[in-house]
Amino acid sequence: MNKSFIIILSLVLFPLSLSAQTKQLDKIFATYENYKNVESVSITPELFATLSAEAKSNELLTKITLLKILNVTKGGNDKEKSVWINLRTDVNRLIQEYNFSQILKVTQTGDRLEMSLKKSENSLLVFIADSQTEYAVFYLQGNIDKSVIDALITGEIKIK
């Protein structure tokens, strides 16, 4: 095979692999969102425009095309405990399988925050917040560039 064919094939398949990652994340969210101890939020671009009164935040929010959040309360009976354990396993497996790059990891007294990125034209950013009482997964899709990542880390995006 010549190099041109390999390059063209890579360019065609790369968006398909990102689509597969998005579908996998959506499947994970659909699996867990209806459990008793799970809160689920999905925000689309139409709503982002109304979330902030600050121009800088609005500019950054226009780069995000989707935000989904799953928050699982830890504790309760064995069935409820298995929900967050299985969710954690599924999310970690997806991050490893699709070679997300870990761009942030903070641990403090049993609490952990991780941020992993799969960069492309329509990037995916996955946050994992794991504390003693909750396990949460946030997933952002869109034009996730350095300005968005910096704003998320510093709390610059202000949502009312």
Side-chain angles (χ1 to χ4, degrees):
M1 282 197 230
N2 64 32
K3 288 181 186 178
S4 299
F5 178 74
I6 293 172
I7 291 171
I8 291 170
L9 185 62
S10 297
L11 291 173
V12 169
L13 292 179
F14 185 73
L16 294 176
S17 78
L18 186 60
S19 175
Q21 295 154 21
T22 303
K23 286 180 184 176
Q24 282 297 108
L25 279 166
D26 288 339
K27 182 179 176 183
I28 289 170
F29 275 67
T31 299
Y32 292 96
E33 68 187 356
N34 293 316
Y35 281 94
K36 178 181 164 185
N37 59 329
V38 176
E39 294 175 274
S40 175
V41 177
S42 181
I43 302 174
T44 60
E46 293 80 14
L47 184 58
F48 283 133
T50 66
L51 291 177
S52 180
E54 296 187 21
K56 178 70 174 171
S57 292
N58 277 339
E59 177 186 328
L60 293 168
L61 287 171
T62 62
K63 295 181 177 191
I64 300 170
T65 57
L66 182 65
L67 166 63
K68 287 191 173 187
I69 304 168
L70 281 180
N71 188 51
V72 182
T73 304
K74 292 182 178 178
N77 59 37
D78 288 341
K79 183 177 180 183
E80 290 176 352
K81 288 178 184 177
S82 70
V83 172
W84 75 265
I85 292 169
N86 292 336
L87 174 60
R88 179 182 65 188
T89 301
D90 289 346
V91 171
N92 288 341
R93 184 180 305 125
L94 181 125
I95 287 171
Q96 290 175 356
E97 181 179 332
Y98 289 105
N99 297 316
F100 278 70
S101 300
Q102 187 176 72
I103 57 175
L104 175 72
K105 182 176 182 179
V106 178
T107 57
Q108 179 182 355
T109 319
D111 295 344
R112 179 175 53 100
L113 173 68
E114 292 182 11
M115 189 184 306
S116 300
L117 177 68
K118 187 66 178 179
K119 191 76 175 140
S120 72
E121 183 179 314
N122 199 16
S123 300
L124 296 172
L125 184 65
V126 177
F127 290 93
I128 299 170
D130 191 1
S131 74
Q132 294 181 17
T133 58
E134 295 179 306
Y135 180 82
V137 178
F138 302 68
Y139 120 61
L140 293 170
Q141 185 174 359
N143 181 13
I144 312 296
D145 60 11
K146 184 179 179 336
S147 66
V148 173
I149 293 169
D150 289 346
L152 291 168
I153 291 172
T154 62
E156 191 175 329
I157 294 179
K158 299 195 180 2
I159 298 174
K160 58 180 177 176

